Amino acid sequence: MWQQKEGQEYLNALWEDSIIPSVSEYIEIENQSPSFDANWRENGLLIKAAEHLMKWIKTTTTEIPDFVCELIQLEERTPVIFMTLPASGSLNEKDTVLMYGHLDKQPPLTEAWESGLHPYKPVIRDGKLYGRGGADDGYSTYAAVAAVLALRKQKVPHGRIVILIEACEESGSQDLPFYVSQLESRIGVPSLIVCLDSGCGNYDSLWLTTSLRGLVTGNLRVSILTEASHSGHASGVVPSSFRILRQLLSRIEDESTGQILIKDLYVDVPADRLAQNDACAQTLGDDIFEEFAFVEGAGPISKDIPQLLLNRCWKPQLSVTGQEGMPPLSNAGNVLRTSTAVKLSMRLPPTKNPKEGIASLKKVLEEAPPYGAQVVFEPEKCSPGWNSPALAHWLEQSVHKASQSFYSQPANFIGEGGSIPFMGMLGAKFPEAQFMIIGVLGPKSNAHGPNEFLHLSYAKKLNACVASVLADHKSHFN
């Protein structure tokens, strides 16, 4: 039986002495995901980050001779780190646990970080480690390995361990299906899948993710002229490409409410998720919107907490994340421009087929273009959502026990608005597996934005929870 107090003490020391210094060095590496760094092959930064993690893994696991760790890169694809460890005391195939994380990062947004902070210069402030990628999702490799070390330290039996760390999650996990296919026989058939790339509603308990939204992105381009014209001469005669773009966006979103107008993008929310949503709303209350940095006088869409959570987890939502065709304000002359383009990010309900979503979006945007303008929607990413299967009794008991032990609170359950493409793929491939989707992205941790941080105390306790569940998994299948 795993002694929890001793286990937490061991992990605390490991984090302080080894993990935090190594994560800090990882933060210094500017390894953006391929979607944001076209020269990733040439600059070698993804490989550099992977090699940094490999060095820590091999140094830390020297006393476990049967722990195998490989850096694999095939066909000029992004690399993966693949680790295996046989089950202790059993060869039962059902003992396999697959743990997952990623090492690639979002763009730095350097200018937006607070004074004294920088995306690639780690800083510890008020118990939080600031820097790009520490929380999303650099910590995951360390936590997965450390959970196993914590069991080995006490000679506690564990199932067969497989750890897979990818390097293109922020680009839609485009290379992961290939690697899963190549490594299929070595992965086996996991009975438990632990994903370390999700969020938490607060830092007071263990939070399990019950669903993830899908995502489709693409570029909407409106062209009206072949060459720009003086606005004094052309306005009132030639329609503005920007105004046409506004009309097209109004086809898909009610600008006064933010509600998506394409009915095909909605699904029926399962009854159990509605019940969990209400319970989550009771737990979080106004924290659901108070974590955001509103300007003075501004606030959320509404104060209806259950509805805000549903909006974020089970409703389609649109964000415009980039533009092309407009000069900066300092260089904007009196010109009616030839075209305007924007990047659209449409989050989809967990169970909505994203390919159907793209087809619906493209049809609505491109049909009957105003003024005969050239309107093209070019899809980019297409990532499925995921809805967790019901928790097995043993796992439900295990997560509550772990959360109570290390956070002094029972576990909580939440739907996440983000996407982890790999989860939908794993759910389809291993329909009998149980899922433990967890992470450290809590209030104000700001993954993808400026001032990203890793909440160190929460991460240490979460690491202990993972070790506790791994011990219970072995007991269940033994």
Side-chain angles (χ1 to χ4, degrees):
M1 181 177 180
W2 192 58
Q3 301 300 313
Q4 294 177 331
K5 185 175 183 295
E6 294 176 15
Q8 182 71 85
E9 290 173 351
Y10 168 78
L11 286 169
N12 287 347
L14 184 63
W15 271 81
E16 290 296 326
D17 298 339
S18 178
I19 294 178
I20 293 175
S22 188
V23 174
S24 297
E25 293 173 358
Y26 160 83
I27 285 172
E28 294 175 350
I29 304 171
E30 301 179 19
N31 55 306
Q32 293 184 63
S33 197
S35 287
F36 316 112
D37 183 2
N39 298 316
W40 67 270
R41 290 183 180 88
E42 291 76 15
N43 61 40
L45 292 171
L46 285 176
I47 288 292
K48 182 178 180 180
E51 289 176 341
H52 173 75
L53 296 175
M54 287 283 293
K55 180 180 178 181
W56 181 87
I57 295 164
K58 290 185 175 182
T59 300
T60 311
T61 60
T62 51
E63 297 182 3
I64 309 178
D66 47 359
F67 190 100
V68 176
C69 180
E70 304 168 66
L71 177 57
I72 302 173
Q73 186 175 23
L74 302 174
E75 299 183 6
E76 296 188 354
R77 297 175 183 268
T78 53
V80 296
I81 298 175
F82 187 71
M83 296 167 262
T84 59
L85 179 64
S88 54
S90 172
L91 297 177
N92 187 345
E93 184 179 288
K94 291 184 178 180
D95 283 352
T96 298
V97 177
L98 171 61
M99 291 193 276
Y100 163 84
H102 70 88
L103 62 85
D104 54 317
K105 301 176 183 178
Q106 281 279 323
L109 305 178
T110 306
E111 296 77 11
W113 287 61
E114 289 181 11
S115 177
L117 298 178
H118 188 281
Y120 301 127
K121 296 177 182 178
V123 171
I124 295 178
R125 183 185 292 177
D126 299 326
K128 305 175 184 72
L129 174 58
Y130 287 85
R132 176 60 85 228
D136 185 22
D137 184 40
Y139 92 99
S140 62
T141 300
Y142 302 92
V145 174
V148 176
L149 293 173
L151 298 184
R152 283 292 181 118
K153 180 69 175 178
Q154 296 185 27
K155 297 182 173 57
V156 173
H158 58 77
R160 177 173 173 266
I161 302 294
V162 176
I163 303 174
L164 180 59
I165 307 297
E166 67 160 316
C168 66
E169 191 275 341
E170 302 292 6
S171 300
S173 296
Q174 58 204 26
D175 291 336
L176 202 54
F178 169 82
Y179 281 115
V180 171
S181 176
Q182 292 293 310
L183 298 168
E184 184 172 10
S185 62
R186 299 179 64 189
I187 292 173
V189 182
S191 55
L192 175 63
I193 296 170
V194 180
C195 169
L196 295 155
D197 183 32
S198 194
C200 52
N202 57 32
Y203 301 110
D204 300 330
S205 72
L206 178 65
W207 288 82
L208 264 68
T209 298
T210 57
S211 63
L212 297 157
R213 282 193 295 188
L215 173 66
V216 297
T217 66
N219 300 323
L220 174 63
R221 184 177 301 276
V222 177
S223 301
I224 192 65
L225 293 173
T226 58
E227 66 178 17
S229 296
H230 190 299
S231 63
H233 185 63
S235 61
V237 178
V238 179
S240 159
S241 61
F242 182 74
R243 180 163 64 84
I244 296 171
L245 182 77
R246 288 165 54 201
Q247 289 179 260
L248 296 174
L249 292 180
S250 292
R251 292 179 178 183
I252 64 175
E253 180 191 50
D254 182 335
E255 62 268 23
S256 64
T257 65
Q259 182 175 349
I260 299 303
L261 302 176
I262 305 175
K263 300 303 180 185
D264 289 346
L265 299 186
Y266 288 82
V267 301
D268 292 329
V269 184
D272 60 336
R273 296 295 178 244
L274 288 172
Q276 288 176 344
N277 187 80
D278 289 343
C280 184
Q282 287 287 330
T283 299
L284 296 180
D286 291 352
D287 288 349
I288 193 68
F289 59 81
E290 287 183 347
E291 67 166 293
F292 297 104
F294 290 106
V295 298
E296 186 176 354
I301 292 171
S302 80
K303 298 293 183 70
D304 184 337
I305 306 302
Q307 187 59 55
L308 292 178
L309 282 169
L310 273 183
N311 289 347
R312 191 173 73 179
C313 304
W314 279 91
K315 298 293 180 68
Q317 299 289 336
L318 176 67
S319 299
V320 177
T321 60
Q323 67 82 26
E324 189 176 275
M326 293 186 187
L329 297 178
S330 59
N331 197 33
N334 294 316
V335 176
L336 198 149
R337 297 171 296 100
T338 60
S339 64
T340 304
V342 292
K343 184 176 292 293
L344 303 182
S345 171
M346 181 70 80
R347 297 287 178 176
L348 298 176
T351 55
K352 179 64 186 177
N353 185 320
K355 292 182 179 179
E356 294 177 359
I358 277 186
S360 297
L361 203 55
K362 187 173 179 67
K363 180 177 184 296
V364 171
L365 289 171
E366 291 185 348
E367 65 183 0
Y371 305 104
Q374 292 181 3
V375 175
V376 179
F377 177 67
E378 301 169 329
E380 287 187 336
K381 293 181 186 177
C382 178
S383 301
W386 173 81
N387 186 32
S388 173
L391 287 186
H393 181 63
W394 77 266
L395 182 54
E396 184 174 14
Q397 284 189 317
S398 180
V399 296
H400 281 303
K401 180 185 75 173
S403 186
Q404 193 71 53
S405 297
F406 300 110
Y407 294 101
S408 301
Q409 298 284 343
N412 280 295
F413 302 88
I414 190 170
E416 284 290 346
S419 305
I420 308 176
F422 193 35
M423 291 305 102
M425 175 184 167
L426 288 178
K429 191 171 185 65
F430 304 116
E432 301 301 317
Q434 286 287 291
F435 285 80
M436 181 181 179
I437 313 301
I438 54 178
V440 296
L441 302 177
K444 300 187 178 181
S445 59
N446 222 22
H448 298 203
N451 311 317
E452 176 186 345
F453 68 71
L454 174 62
H455 193 293
L456 295 173
S457 175
Y458 187 84
K460 294 172 187 176
K461 294 175 183 178
L462 179 136
N463 208 162
C465 287
V466 174
S468 180
V469 171
L470 294 184
D472 290 342
H473 168 266
K474 174 63 178 177
S475 299
H476 176 72
F477 284 102
N478 199 14

